[in-house]
Amino acid sequence: MKRIFSTALFVLAANGAAFAGAATTDGAGALSLAALVGKYAPGVTPKEKTALAALADGHAKIAFPKGKTIEVAVDAISCRASNVDITQHACELTFGDKKVRVAGRLAHEIFATLLEVGAPPEGAAGTIYAAVSALDCTIDPDEIAQKAGGGAQCKYEPPKM
């Protein structure tokens, strides 16, 4: 019994330590996260937003300048979902001084995608939270068009308290 308990403690400690610093993710989760938050990012041009939406909708080959990438940066993302009132989902995206609040289905998509890419959930009093800071995604439409699994990468840090 002591052996199982010790192993469980080691795994839990290692899991917490894994998120102690910066993390990266790539593939479908990174593309989805970039598309979802890129929609609100002031640094992403309308043409880039259209390209991100098309890529996220399953169109691997899009009209986009060759050799160009799309950069999506978000200072912080904080999402919450109620496990009591299961209709409640909300996220706050921070871009410098600008804050964008998203609710409902779109907030749930961002929340679920944060969990998909490895942001650890936290819980308190009927609410589950997921958050990251310093999100920086690079989307390469040329590489995505090759359909070999590459072309989307995001880096992020734990949320700042």
Side-chain angles (χ1 to χ4, degrees), residues 29 31 124 144-145 160:
L31 174 60
I144 291 172
K160 302 207 187 322

Side-chain angles (χ1 to χ4, degrees), residues 71-161:
E71 304 294 325
V72 179
V74 186
D75 294 325
I77 303 172
S78 177
C79 293
R80 62 183 169 79
S82 175
N83 58 3
V84 177
D85 180 355
I86 61 171
T87 66
Q88 295 302 304
H89 299 88
C91 293
E92 183 175 88
L93 312 176
T94 305
F95 306 95
D97 291 339
K98 180 181 176 187
K99 292 189 185 291
V100 176
R101 288 181 175 75
V102 182
R105 185 171 128 197
L106 291 174
H108 180 264
E109 288 181 34
I110 296 169
F111 176 79
T113 305
L114 283 176
L115 297 179
E116 177 185 354
V117 301
E122 304 271 336
T127 303
I128 302 166
Y129 298 92
V132 298
S133 65
L135 177 72
D136 185 18
C137 299
T138 301
I139 306 301
D140 184 342
D142 292 337
E143 190 174 348
I144 291 172
Q146 295 173 16
K147 297 184 181 181
Q153 184 176 40
C154 295
K155 295 182 285 188
Y156 58 88
E157 295 181 11
K160 302 207 187 322
M161 297 297 169

Side-chain angles (χ1 to χ4, degrees), residues 9-25 117-120 132 156-159:
L9 280 178
F10 176 76
V11 169
L12 288 173
N15 191 24
F19 200 66
T24 61
T25 187
V117 301
V132 298
Y156 58 88
E157 295 181 11

